[in-house]
Amino acid sequence: MTSLKTLRIDSPLGPITLAASQRGLCGLWFENQKHGPSDVDKQNWQTDAQHPLLQSAAAQLQAYFANEPVVFDLALDLSAGTPFQQSVWQALLGIPSGQTRSYGDLARHLGKAQAMRAVGAAVGRNPVSLIVPCHRILGAAGQLTGYAGGLWRKQALLQLEGHPIAGRISSPLFPE
């Protein structure tokens, strides 16, 4: 990744790093998230707490975590992925809050019914987690499956959005 502007914010689910290119928001990673940027990637990044897009993203995330109605309306730059990954990430943007889809549903939507594993791999590599809602993808039977930010975060995000996930968890969003 080239020189990006970044901002680190706190959230109820742990620190988040936001990254913006000249084209738009290109990164949203929870601390210790799988498939996040490498230390080499980060070498040319510049912290910019006044960057307008990063400030807007931070404000919208703050509202989201406060359980206020939010429609993320940020310019996105998903160009770091392959054309196939980009098509998966674009499809994720069409899943409304409070709803979920299976990997198979997503693969069929893309016209690639036999490509469930490839779809799953692309979902896992989503660089703008939460805003590009990869947490809304479940297993075929509706079970929680992998999430680069951790399954506990995935469950907390779905609960925040009102999805009827069985069982309660203890998290900063839902303390016992």
Side-chain angles (χ1 to χ4, degrees):
M1 292 188 181
T2 59
S3 179
L4 301 177
K5 304 296 183 185
T6 64
L7 177 63
R8 187 175 166 103
I9 63 171
D10 290 323
S11 84
L13 300 179
I16 292 174
T17 298
L18 299 169
S21 70
Q22 291 182 350
R23 296 174 63 186
L25 189 70
C26 61
L28 186 160
W29 301 280
F30 287 103
E31 188 170 75
N32 300 320
Q33 178 172 322
K34 290 180 191 173
H35 313 302
S38 71
D39 290 338
V40 173
D41 289 335
K42 296 177 191 177
Q43 286 180 355
N44 294 322
W45 294 5
Q46 295 178 325
T47 300
D48 187 350
Q50 303 308 312
H51 191 282
L53 178 61
L54 297 175
Q55 284 293 313
S56 183
Q60 289 181 29
L61 287 165
Q62 182 179 21
Y64 173 86
F65 284 117
N67 208 18
E68 297 171 10
V70 176
V71 175
F72 291 108
D73 62 352
L74 304 162
L76 298 177
D77 177 2
L78 302 177
S79 64
T82 66
F84 178 75
Q85 288 173 324
Q86 290 177 42
S87 71
V88 171
W89 301 335
Q90 286 295 326
L92 291 171
L93 289 167
I95 304 171
S97 180
Q99 295 185 27
T100 58
R101 303 287 186 275
S102 71
Y103 293 97
D105 293 336
L106 194 55
R108 284 185 293 279
H109 173 78
L110 292 166
K112 305 205 180 274
Q114 303 303 312
M116 285 186 287
R117 288 181 189 222
V119 166
V123 168
R125 295 285 182 167
N126 170 20
V128 188
S129 64
L130 200 153
I131 291 173
V132 176
C134 52
H135 61 280
R136 296 180 187 151
I137 301 298
L138 302 177
Q143 75 276 26
L144 288 177
T145 55
Y147 184 63
L151 279 182
W152 68 274
R153 284 189 179 114
K154 181 174 190 166
Q155 187 167 14
L157 293 170
L158 290 171
Q159 285 182 331
L160 181 65
E161 294 178 359
H163 190 274
I165 296 282
R168 285 191 42 86
I169 60 168
S170 177
S171 77
L173 284 177
F174 301 98
E176 291 190 289

